Amino acid sequence: MTTFSDLGLTPNLLKALDRLGFDKPTPIQAQAIPQVLAGRDLMGLAQTGTGKTAAFGLPLLNRILDIGHPPAPRTVRALILAPTRELVAQIADHLMLFTKGTPVKVQKVIGGASLHKQAEALARGADVLVATPGRLIDLLERRALTLDATGYLVLDEADQMLDMGFIHLLRQIARYLPHKRQTLMFSATMPKLIDEIAETYLRDPVKVAVNPPGKTADRIDQAVHFVNQGDKAKLLEDYLLKHPGEAALVFNRTKHGAEKLMKLLVSWGFSAGSIHGNKSQNNRERTLAAFRAGELDVLVATDVAARGIDIPLVRHVYNYDLPNVPDNYVHRIGRTARAGASGKAVAFCAPAEQDELKAIEKVTGQPLPVIGGTPYDGPVAKPAHAPRRPGQQKPQGARKARPQGDRPQGGKPQGDRPQGGKPQGAKPQGKPGQRGDGKPQGQRPAQPKVAASGNRPPRRQPR
Ligand code: AMP
């Protein structure tokens, strides 16, 4: 069995791994670390949760520790680019844990935080800079740093960066980088454009893959529940009440929809928060920290939280709206069943979302088992949690008004200064005039009573 010391890492890092309880390398670490230490470029096909942060972080830090003197002012030795602020923060946190007690300086720059403070910190130089592309460009244009001495470049979640329209920013950043450098690129999927990018950015890369693209984690128990758009909130409530106190991540396609749903859940007594592109960075970080710490049971999020985010507590992922980019389904459900735990993922499929469901099943390579509701064009499923039909009696204690579905608003990229508009594969959502288009169906809209994100009312008791 391979150990971390077999891989050639320095005693400083081995001590840190021991402290963190990393006993043995994960497959991607065992494959990638020796290659990166040997100076090779690398294309890693791996989803988050496979340990890829350490797979690129440890060998880079190892090489930087070997240098033995601090970086010059305003220079950066290794640049790591990631699509979302949350992912940048998470990568920087991990690297800081690995380098605790060493002189290695890890900095992060993200949108939504003080540009001035970031420029000040960079004036002293950084061994490793973790950044979202937009903020990095701002700082480069202000000459707050130079990438002339950057010998290492990591593109993490490259496929998401492309989906979010960052391709132009990446090209711009590449112009600031020296030609002679080591480049590592990680992607969870391998669309054709990633192949092309790899050709441009990498030189004779070693390829490592730990999960074929589109394969969802085996430990995730996946299912689809057919439900009209207007009944989704009630259905979500039913699921949440069945698993009291278990952390649930709910994905919504739009910022507005996520916020509205969060407020509704809070008004029903759930301890819920939301993160999406309309929230300030501070707010996003606070909410994520509260969810990580188990202070919130439910996090409603847009696809900003679909990738990279590592919250081992998440037991349930609800796809309240099906993603319009089918690969995002794989990323979303990958937020559960982490660190060896098992997890459940339920996709809520409204009549207008049948195409999205088909696209997801194509990507995952298998039909999702039906857990409730009636497939729109197939046999009647055994309804495990069938939504109430209009006119059907409400259970005792149910609230008066039922919530209305959120009408998808054509998913804008949620990240840091995206350019070039639409996510790949985006298309207009919803079919006006049909049931399931999110329009009220003869009921008054529910009025959420509590508005603030991250509010914690007393926990709702299961009925
Ligand atoms: P990542 O895919 O980099 O987001 O890592 C997923 C999770 O696995 C993180 O919580 C890491 O701290 C953890 N992890 C990574 N490598 C190891 C390892 N070799 N042993 C134990 N845990 C690990």
Side-chain angles (χ1 to χ4, degrees):
M1 184 183 61
T2 315
T3 64
F4 279 112
S5 45
D6 296 335
L7 300 179
L9 294 170
T10 73
N12 265 337
L13 292 175
L14 293 176
K15 254 189 262 161
L17 292 170
D18 197 37
R19 204 176 52 233
L20 294 169
F22 285 24
D23 300 335
K24 57 175 191 333
T26 64
I28 185 118
Q29 290 161 3
Q31 292 177 59
I33 291 173
Q35 302 286 357
V36 181
L37 283 176
R40 293 289 302 272
D41 279 7
L42 183 133
M43 173 71 231
L45 190 53
Q47 298 172 12
T48 50
T50 54
K52 71 185 161 71
T53 313
F56 64 74
L58 291 171
L60 284 191
L61 295 171
N62 203 99
R63 302 196 81 188
I64 287 167
L65 277 163
D66 279 347
I67 299 175
H69 58 85
R74 295 193 304 115
T75 66
V76 166
R77 284 179 167 145
L79 172 65
I80 300 172
L81 294 173
T84 64
R85 299 165 184 182
E86 281 73 16
L87 189 54
V88 164
Q90 188 175 290
I91 294 169
D93 288 349
H94 272 109
L95 300 186
M96 283 178 203
L97 286 174
F98 297 147
T99 52
K100 206 170 159 196
T102 75
V104 170
K105 284 201 281 184
V106 178
Q107 302 271 5
K108 67 172 181 206
V109 296
I110 48 178
S114 160
L115 196 71
H116 179 67
K117 278 198 190 137
Q118 290 175 356
E120 246 177 30
L122 287 169
R124 295 187 288 277
D127 285 299
V128 182
L129 179 65
V130 195
T132 45
R135 177 52 61 96
L136 180 68
I137 297 269
D138 286 346
L139 288 158
L140 284 167
E141 283 171 356
R142 287 163 178 252
R143 298 182 200 282
L145 78 157
T146 128
L147 299 180
D148 296 348
T150 303
Y152 307 101
L153 170 68
V154 180
L155 302 171
D156 195 17
E157 301 280 349
D159 49 352
Q160 189 187 8
M161 290 208 259
L162 296 189
D163 285 351
M164 290 170 74
F166 286 156
I167 182 79
H168 306 294
L169 295 183
L170 294 184
R171 289 206 179 107
Q172 241 176 298
I173 292 168
R175 287 200 284 273
Y176 286 89
L177 285 159
H179 282 294
K180 194 169 165 331
R181 60 164 198 260
Q182 186 178 2
T183 307
L184 318 176
M185 186 159 128
F186 289 84
S187 189
T189 56
M190 202 67 196
K192 203 164 172 296
L193 193 53
I194 287 285
D195 232 1
E196 285 168 35
I197 300 267
E199 294 263 300
T200 327
Y201 281 77
L202 307 179
R203 250 167 259 126
D204 185 25
V206 188
K207 292 190 179 150
V208 298
V210 291
N211 253 331
K215 266 268 165 82
T216 43
D218 294 339
R219 290 189 306 276
I220 307 173
D221 194 357
Q222 301 171 60
V224 57
H225 197 132
F226 293 95
V227 56
N228 287 321
Q229 188 69 26
D231 292 331
K232 282 187 175 180
K234 170 67 185 78
L235 183 66
L236 177 63
E237 183 199 25
D238 290 348
Y239 275 108
L240 294 175
L241 289 176
K242 280 187 91 185
H243 304 283
E246 293 181 13
L249 188 50
V250 179
F251 282 103
N252 210 292
R253 199 155 32 203
T254 68
K255 298 181 250 189
H256 172 69
E259 191 61 13
K260 202 169 128 195
L261 181 62
M262 179 278 291
K263 288 175 179 173
L264 190 63
L265 292 174
V266 168
S267 78
W268 288 350
F270 290 99
S271 84
S274 65
I275 62 170
H276 49 75
N278 280 354
K279 295 267 169 164
S280 74
Q281 188 53 28
N282 267 347
N283 191 303
R284 276 159 71 163
E285 280 174 17
R286 256 186 286 122
T287 304
L288 207 52
F291 188 55
R292 269 208 175 97
E295 293 163 16
L296 295 173
D297 287 341
V298 189
L299 182 67
V300 187
T302 55
D303 280 322
V304 286
R307 303 206 201 189
I309 301 304
D310 178 39
I311 304 171
L313 276 179
V314 175
R315 300 294 304 280
H316 305 272
V317 170
Y318 297 106
N319 278 291
Y320 189 90
D321 292 323
L322 299 191
N324 46 15
V325 179
D327 281 343
N328 276 1
Y329 172 81
V330 180
H331 301 305
R332 288 176 175 192
I333 69 163
R335 301 311 97 218
T336 185
R338 297 179 72 78
S342 61
K344 291 194 162 69
V346 183
F348 291 4
C349 181
E353 293 175 310
Q354 291 176 81
D355 288 349
E356 281 81 357
L357 179 64
K358 278 191 199 123
I360 287 167
E361 291 177 335
K362 203 167 158 210
V363 167
T364 58
Q366 55 195 345
L368 290 180
V370 180
I371 195 173
T374 308
Y376 307 111
D377 53 0
V380 175
K382 193 169 155 253
H385 310 275
R388 276 198 311 278
R389 300 277 158 235
Q392 190 180 337
Q393 268 228 302
K394 288 174 197 160
Q396 243 198 341
R399 68 199 157 278
K400 284 197 177 103
R402 259 197 272 165
Q404 304 307 313
D406 301 307
R407 189 205 296 264
Q409 312 209 332
K412 269 204 274 171
Q414 304 281 344
D416 186 57
R417 229 182 74 161
Q419 309 245 318
K422 281 202 294 180
Q424 281 174 5
K427 60 177 181 179
Q429 298 304 314
K431 291 174 188 160
Q434 263 193 16
R435 272 182 68 84
D437 62 359
K439 283 190 178 163
Q441 288 163 18
Q443 298 149 21
R444 282 165 39 148
Q447 289 300 318
K449 294 184 202 99
V450 184
S453 132
N455 278 346
R456 268 184 286 135
R459 283 189 184 198
R460 188 183 172 90
Q461 294 303 311
R463 288 192 292 239

